[in-house]
Amino acid sequence: MSASRALLSSPHGVASRTFTRAAPARLAAPSIPFARSGALRARTAILSSPAATVPVTSAEPKRRISRSVSDSAPLAKPAVLVAEKLGEAGLEVLRQFADVECAYGMSPAELLAKVAQFDALIVRSGTKVTREVLEAGRGRLRVVGRAGVGIDNVDLQASTEAGCLVVNAPTANTVAAAEHGIALLACMARNVSQADAALKAGKWQRAKYVGVSLVGKTLAIMGFGKVGSEVARRAKGLGMHVIAHDPYAPVDKARAIGAELVSFEEAIAKADFISLHMPLTPATSKVFNDESFGKMKTGVRIVNVARGGVIDEDALVRALDSGKVAQEGVAIEIAEAVGGALRGELTATAVNAPMVPAEVMSELAPYVSLAEKLGRLAVQLVAGESGIKGVKVVYTSARDPDDLDTRLLRAMVTKGIVEPVSSTFVNLVNADYTAKQRGLRIAEERVSHDNAAAEAPLESIQVRLSHVQSRFAGAISDGGDIVVVGRVKYGVPHLTVVGPYEVDVSLEGNLILCRQVDQPGMIGKVGNILGKRNVNVSFMSVGRTSRGKQAIMAIGVDEEPDKKTLEKIGAIPAVEEFVFLEL
């Protein structure tokens, strides 16, 4: 199986069979129904950054047979629609991995008719990516790239529901935007545009347009993100006192730049100049209104380097007329973000998906695959009409809880559980939303591991389904829950525990679990049946409770055995039960 999968890929059939026929299972109401006749629908993994090898020490498993698994065939080139002007450098980046069509100036109707032919859509601010556009994508549209910072022209809720990743380009023009803001600030302070217009009209009014000095003045930066913090650095160099308001900005970051974080009311009340750098959201829409202007100093100057919608324009006109306000004055990055998303790399500029730093993403990559496969394996073990009422994920780690970000892992466990039993397309973008809509609650627990010298972020991940019936009794733990545990070994996800049994099998391809009487020759008997049917074994491991009692054989196979092959395995006298699972 290839270690790299498409981020939002096309569905493929997944089948699950057991020796004894069981009715399809379902989630508790509001529930996720299992597919009919045991057929499980699944898609390929959504995140596939190149998994760095993570050495995890482990004792060598007993009775283990290992063979290599060939990579899957390369995927066809994705198609990208560029709906607004994009620099040639960005287009060249896109053409390296995709078929690109530039269709500038489309009407909304033309976009609706065209979008279903593409995997990704790139826009600027002039194209509205509405719910209708996303629905017209018919499940093929996987990524929306906004060439710029603001994403108010993209329906994020509809994108999330459709499993469509939204990325933007917040850093490409950071310095340019900051410099532009400072330029506007200086021009406003010295009345450059007014003096220029007067001079061109043949007037010399030096005293009227002398302006004010920036030194010693208070600048309030509203929105202390990338651009806002760069403006602060430059304003400090001009000798200004900088205060800032941003409910999400770290105090240490502001202090390091020399800015003071204050409340919204304090910022607008103290400022001689106000520079706007916040996004346009329901909370910030028209936040500068009659009430806000009334709290400002008379003669305050406002520079808006953000979105026009944060200011109530009618209120601004009234403030200008009264004299309260003196005056108001991105291609390679988005291409790389879209390309990374289509290749399976969750970019740091994703807007509607769990966000973690790039270095954490790289470190957790193999555990992301492990988390999804454990969820997928666990849900296939649920029997008939049994409903999934509780899911618990337990992370064992030597790290401090504050140093372990599990949002990605939780989303992937959710994906693994929900996707095989739902007709809804599920990925990292909409996994939490889909689970919430269906009443599935995922609890998390972190267990401290005493190996302080461990380099790996996680020792193991456990997925536990409580209050359910199992179609494979061997997966039931002493506490009555379905329990599966896995870990990453040499960069590859492995299954290490099923119920009370310890095993060691790579989670690649398909899996057969057999519970049998522990006796000599069982590996040979099962292996012989599979070999005669040309089913290649990739891994095999046996775990038992005690010698001569019961044991579980976990067999990784490259191909799906046919019905007769499975029946022959079930007919071995010592085999008490078995289940075939596709991962």
Side-chain angles (χ1 to χ4, degrees):
M1 177 175 291
S2 172
S4 178
R5 295 282 185 86
L7 174 65
L8 304 171
S9 52
S10 301
H12 66 277
V14 173
S16 173
R17 296 193 180 97
T18 57
F19 180 57
T20 56
R21 181 174 297 175
R26 61 176 178 82
L27 292 177
S31 64
I32 307 173
F34 270 59
R36 296 175 182 174
S37 303
L40 304 179
R41 302 189 59 183
R43 284 88 177 169
T44 54
I46 62 173
L47 181 131
S48 59
S49 300
T53 298
V54 182
V56 180
T57 58
S58 174
E60 279 294 313
K62 295 182 179 179
R63 311 183 198 174
R64 177 168 172 265
I65 303 171
S66 174
R67 292 183 185 152
S68 61
V69 180
S70 61
D71 290 338
S72 59
L75 299 175
K77 267 190 173 184
V80 178
L81 175 62
V82 182
E84 296 183 67
K85 184 68 177 177
L86 195 68
E88 186 59 33
L91 293 176
E92 284 303 313
V93 172
L94 290 171
R95 291 178 183 128
Q96 292 175 14
F97 64 86
D99 294 324
V100 181
E101 179 177 337
C102 297
Y104 304 150
M106 287 185 294
S107 67
E110 289 172 329
L111 177 60
L112 288 174
K114 201 175 189 66
V115 70
Q117 306 169 33
F118 297 90
D119 302 287
L121 170 66
I122 294 180
V123 301
R124 299 185 78 89
S125 60
T127 302
K128 303 293 184 184
V129 185
T130 61
R131 181 177 291 275
E132 290 73 23
V133 171
L134 292 157
E135 290 175 351
R138 298 177 184 174
R140 178 172 178 179
L141 186 64
R142 301 183 261 158
V143 182
V144 171
R146 164 65 168 95
V149 179
I151 41 85
D152 46 287
N153 59 319
V154 180
D155 190 328
L156 288 182
Q157 180 62 30
S159 300
T160 299
E161 293 176 19
C164 183
L165 187 70
V166 179
V167 297
N168 64 350
T171 62
N173 63 347
T174 295
V175 173
E179 290 177 346
H180 182 62
I182 291 293
L184 292 176
L185 195 70
C187 288
M188 180 180 294
R190 292 301 180 179
N191 299 311
V192 172
S193 60
Q194 298 93 325
D196 175 71
L199 186 62
K200 288 177 179 177
K203 300 176 183 179
W204 179 253
Q205 299 173 303
R206 178 178 178 180
K208 181 178 181 180
Y209 296 119
V210 68
V212 297
S213 174
L214 294 177
V215 175
K217 297 298 190 296
T218 298
L219 171 64
I221 297 177
M222 313 302 286
F224 204 67
K226 292 180 175 65
V227 177
S229 58
E230 291 297 329
V231 169
R233 289 187 175 94
R234 288 155 176 78
K236 291 295 292 184
L238 295 173
M240 302 188 77
H241 172 59
V242 180
I243 59 177
H245 171 70
D246 189 324
Y248 307 105
V251 175
D252 292 344
K253 175 185 176 182
R255 187 181 296 119
I257 295 174
E260 177 188 2
L261 286 179
V262 298
S263 66
F264 180 87
E265 288 72 17
E266 185 177 354
I268 61 176
K270 289 184 175 181
D272 301 302
F273 293 84
I274 298 176
S275 188
L276 308 184
H277 303 281
M278 73 268 287
L280 178 60
T281 67
T284 62
S285 177
K286 296 186 178 181
V287 69
F288 291 93
N289 47 36
D290 287 317
E291 182 181 359
S292 301
F293 291 131
K295 297 177 181 179
M296 297 177 187
K297 292 180 179 180
T298 298
V300 66
R301 291 168 167 84
I302 301 174
V303 172
N304 186 5
V305 195
R307 316 298 287 176
V310 301
I311 296 178
D312 183 331
E313 293 185 357
D314 294 334
L316 176 61
V317 170
R318 289 188 287 271
L320 288 168
D321 291 341
S322 68
K324 171 65 73 170
V325 177
Q327 189 178 352
E328 180 196 26
V330 257
I332 292 181
E333 183 176 2
I334 193 60
E336 291 178 343
V338 170
L342 289 173
R343 287 192 302 270
E345 302 162 7
L346 184 59
T347 170
T349 64
V351 176
N352 61 336
M355 286 295 91
V356 293
E359 60 273 15
V360 177
M361 279 288 303
S362 177
E363 184 179 49
L364 290 182
Y367 299 93
V368 166
S369 177
L370 172 64
E372 184 198 357
K373 290 184 177 182
L374 288 176
R376 186 175 296 275
L377 189 154
V379 77
Q380 291 182 66
L381 293 172
V382 178
E385 294 301 315
S386 176
I388 298 178
K389 301 179 177 64
V391 180
K392 187 174 185 179
V393 185
V394 181
Y395 311 100
T396 302
S397 174
R399 296 191 177 179
D400 186 274
D402 293 336
D403 295 332
L404 182 63
D405 192 330
T406 62
R407 290 174 295 171
L408 276 175
L409 304 177
R410 182 186 70 248
M412 293 303 285
V413 170
T414 305
K415 170 183 167 61
I417 291 174
V418 172
E419 191 177 63
V421 295
S422 171
S423 60
T424 302
F425 177 59
V426 183
N427 57 37
L428 183 60
V429 178
N430 66 349
D432 285 348
Y433 171 81
T434 303
K436 183 178 179 181
Q437 290 296 103
R438 288 159 174 75
L440 180 63
R441 296 181 180 180
I442 310 290
E444 294 180 286
E445 180 181 340
R446 303 183 190 189
V447 176
S448 178
H449 188 260
D450 58 5
N451 185 5
E455 295 182 4
L458 287 163
E459 174 67 18
S460 66
I461 300 176
Q462 178 192 104
V463 175
R464 178 182 293 267
L465 306 183
S466 58
H467 309 293
V468 293
Q469 298 174 8
S470 177
R471 48 209 293 249
F472 184 72
I476 299 293
S477 68
D478 294 338
D481 302 333
I482 291 178
V483 173
V484 290
V485 181
R487 62 185 302 185
V488 172
K489 297 178 61 177
Y490 315 111
V492 178
H494 278 66
L495 177 67
T496 57
V497 173
V498 177
Y501 301 93
E502 292 186 3
V503 296
D504 186 8
V505 61
S506 172
L507 289 176
E508 297 179 307
N510 307 314
L511 185 65
I512 300 174
L513 295 179
C514 293
R515 182 167 63 91
Q516 77 268 353
V517 177
D518 183 41
Q519 63 183 37
M522 289 301 299
I523 293 178
K525 290 178 181 178
V526 175
N528 185 50
I529 291 173
L530 294 172
K532 286 183 177 179
R533 303 297 293 186
N534 201 32
V535 177
N536 191 44
V537 175
S538 58
F539 272 82
M540 183 178 286
S541 173
V542 176
R544 62 187 182 184
T545 53
S546 61
R547 183 175 180 179
K549 300 296 184 180
Q550 288 186 327
I552 277 189
M553 186 187 308
I555 310 163
V557 292
D558 295 339
E559 298 82 20
E560 178 181 347
D562 59 29
K563 184 178 180 181
K564 287 185 177 180
T565 302
L566 295 174
E567 288 176 347
K568 285 187 176 182
I569 293 175
I572 297 174
V575 172
E576 298 177 343
E577 63 171 349
F578 76 93
V579 61
F580 172 78
L581 307 165
E582 174 132 2
L583 301 174

